[in-house]
Amino acid sequence: MAIDVRNPSPEYLAFWREYHLCTLTTQRPDGSPHVVPVGVTYDPEAGLARIITNKGSRKVANILAADPRGESGGARVAVCQVHRGRWATLEGRATVRTEPGLIADAVRRYAERYERTPGPNPDRVLIEITLDRALGRG
């Protein structure tokens, strides 16, 4: 079922605020899918999903390889979470952000959703997904 990315139902938004690990799907340079578990925060007001990770990760490399000059607005990705019969997917264009203020905000959001603050990490970056599609079934 299609959902308005910027105006989801209260139930859909509540699902994205519960503690659930998610998956991020990126595309490897050879075209095959790369799916990994991640923590995701969803900000419908900004139309963004955020993931904090290490700059040397395969997911970051895949995003950078898909749009090396930033001409297409980022790599096409999807994040998904499932709990029993409920599921939710967010899709959009991902970019890698290194600005300390944006990373700190993403860490704060992660701590709020996952009830733990990650320790300091000088290699931390932010994967910021500009959302254009939301799907789900609650």
Side-chain angles (χ1 to χ4, degrees):
M1 174 170 97
I3 297 172
D4 184 343
V5 169
R6 289 189 173 259
N7 190 25
S9 70
E11 296 80 16
Y12 190 81
L13 186 55
F15 186 41
W16 276 104
R17 290 187 172 151
E18 294 171 8
Y19 186 112
H20 297 290
L21 290 179
C22 305
T23 59
L24 168 68
T25 303
T26 60
Q27 193 173 37
R28 292 183 183 99
D30 69 3
S32 63
H34 179 254
V35 184
V36 292
V38 293
V40 176
T41 61
Y42 172 34
D43 179 357
E45 290 180 4
L48 298 173
R50 297 175 179 92
I51 299 165
I52 54 174
T53 190
N54 287 313
K55 68 181 175 185
S57 69
R58 176 79 258 170
K59 56 189 160 287
V60 167
N62 290 343
I63 290 165
L64 293 173
D67 189 21
R69 294 185 187 93
E71 295 170 352
S72 69
R76 190 92 190 135
V77 301
V79 292
C80 183
Q81 65 181 18
V82 177
H83 182 255
R84 298 187 179 163
R86 297 184 300 161
W87 63 272
T89 300
L90 299 170
E91 298 178 21
R93 297 242 171 227
T95 55
V96 178
R97 307 293 301 260
T98 59
E99 298 94 323
L102 294 178
I103 294 169
D105 179 58
V107 167
R108 179 191 61 76
R109 290 169 186 274
Y110 177 96
E112 186 176 297
R113 180 175 188 195
Y114 292 101
E115 301 173 353
R116 81 168 190 84
T117 301
N121 179 353
D123 292 328
R124 182 173 290 134
V125 295
L126 165 63
I127 296 173
E128 187 177 78
I129 306 166
T130 301
L131 302 170
D132 57 30
R133 183 178 298 159
L135 305 166
R137 190 175 90 193

